[in-house]
Amino acid sequence: MVDPMGIVYQALNAIFNPILALDPNPANPALTVLIIAFIVSLITTVANKYLVDQDELNEQQAEMKEFNARLRDAQKRGDGKEVAKLQAEQAELMKNQTAMMTNQFKPMIVTFVPIILIFFWMRSSAIHDLVIILPKTVYWVILTPVWHFIGSFLYGGQATIPYGIGWLLWYMICTFGMSQILRKFLGFKQGF
């Protein structure tokens, strides 16, 4: 019987094990996670770039912001007629917003399965044992104790290495940074 997940893991091993082997510290592969975060960020950012009409999205957001400002202004003035008129307009705006939200899910549909498979590979590889020791300031700024508390609540156990984070939080930090850089490089007009 053919094991589809075995085939997927073999393919991911073929792709990522050479990167892992190039890591200066294969026992603690922080650089490998950074490279994987770059690859995943590139995939998701390019998918967003080509599957979502960014100009239309920006236009819709500006229109909604302007509408909300007009509605707040009418409510502050106590202008019931204007508020009623704007609420009638709101139904049409909500249809447009729903269409744009649906459009924004297109990249997720394309990228979800590959990213989940990469996560499962990272969890089952040497990356699972990764520990990054952060400077004290960074440790507190990114609220690491809160994440440790949530992790201990969900998974049991305690963080045993002072100022240390695991592979998942390191991956999230790297992905956030890489995504922002790639979005600027690819000409996105806004953040997330």
Side-chain angles (χ1 to χ4, degrees):
M1 181 173 190
V2 176
D3 178 21
M5 287 309 290
I7 294 170
V8 169
Y9 281 126
Q10 287 176 353
L12 290 172
N13 280 334
I15 295 169
F16 293 119
N17 277 347
I19 298 170
L20 191 56
L22 291 175
D23 201 304
N25 187 1
N28 200 21
L31 182 61
T32 302
V33 173
L34 180 71
I35 293 169
I36 291 171
F38 174 77
I39 292 167
V40 170
S41 296
L42 183 64
I43 290 168
T44 57
T45 306
V46 168
N48 273 302
K49 176 79 173 172
Y50 292 109
L51 295 176
V52 176
D53 185 351
Q54 297 299 316
D55 293 331
E56 185 179 341
L57 177 64
N58 291 335
E59 184 179 308
Q60 285 282 336
Q61 288 175 341
E63 187 177 324
M64 194 61 163
K65 186 177 179 181
E66 187 264 330
F67 171 81
N68 286 334
R70 286 187 359 224
L71 182 61
R72 274 192 308 276
D73 185 48
Q75 288 171 337
K76 279 182 187 177
R77 289 190 323 251
D79 188 349
K81 285 183 180 181
E82 183 68 19
V83 170
K85 178 182 153 197
L86 289 170
Q87 286 175 339
E89 262 183 60
Q90 191 172 21
E92 184 63 32
L93 277 175
M94 290 314 241
K95 285 182 194 174
N96 293 341
Q97 286 292 95
T98 304
M100 278 311 296
M101 290 291 286
T102 304
N103 238 358
Q104 286 180 296
F105 281 114
K106 284 181 191 176
M108 190 174 81
I109 292 168
V110 172
T111 60
F112 182 74
V113 172
I115 290 171
I116 292 299
L117 292 174
I118 290 170
F119 265 58
F120 281 128
W121 178 85
M122 289 171 71
R123 175 89 168 90
S124 67
S125 71
I127 290 171
H128 176 65
D129 298 326
L130 172 70
V131 175
I132 301 288
I133 307 300
L134 298 173
K136 290 179 185 180
T137 307
V138 174
Y139 177 83
W140 290 103
V141 167
I142 64 171
L143 305 173
T144 305
V146 173
W147 300 115
H148 283 174
F149 173 76
I150 292 169
S152 67
F153 178 72
L154 294 174
Y155 304 112
Q158 294 292 323
T160 57
I161 298 174
Y163 307 110
I165 61 172
W167 72 272
L168 186 57
L169 187 54
W170 176 243
Y171 169 82
M172 289 170 34
I173 292 168
C174 293
T175 302
F176 178 77
M178 292 294 172
S179 293
Q180 294 306 308
I181 292 167
L182 289 169
R183 290 178 75 80
K184 290 291 183 190
F185 181 73
L186 291 173
F188 283 74
K189 292 183 176 81
Q190 60 187 19
F192 299 107

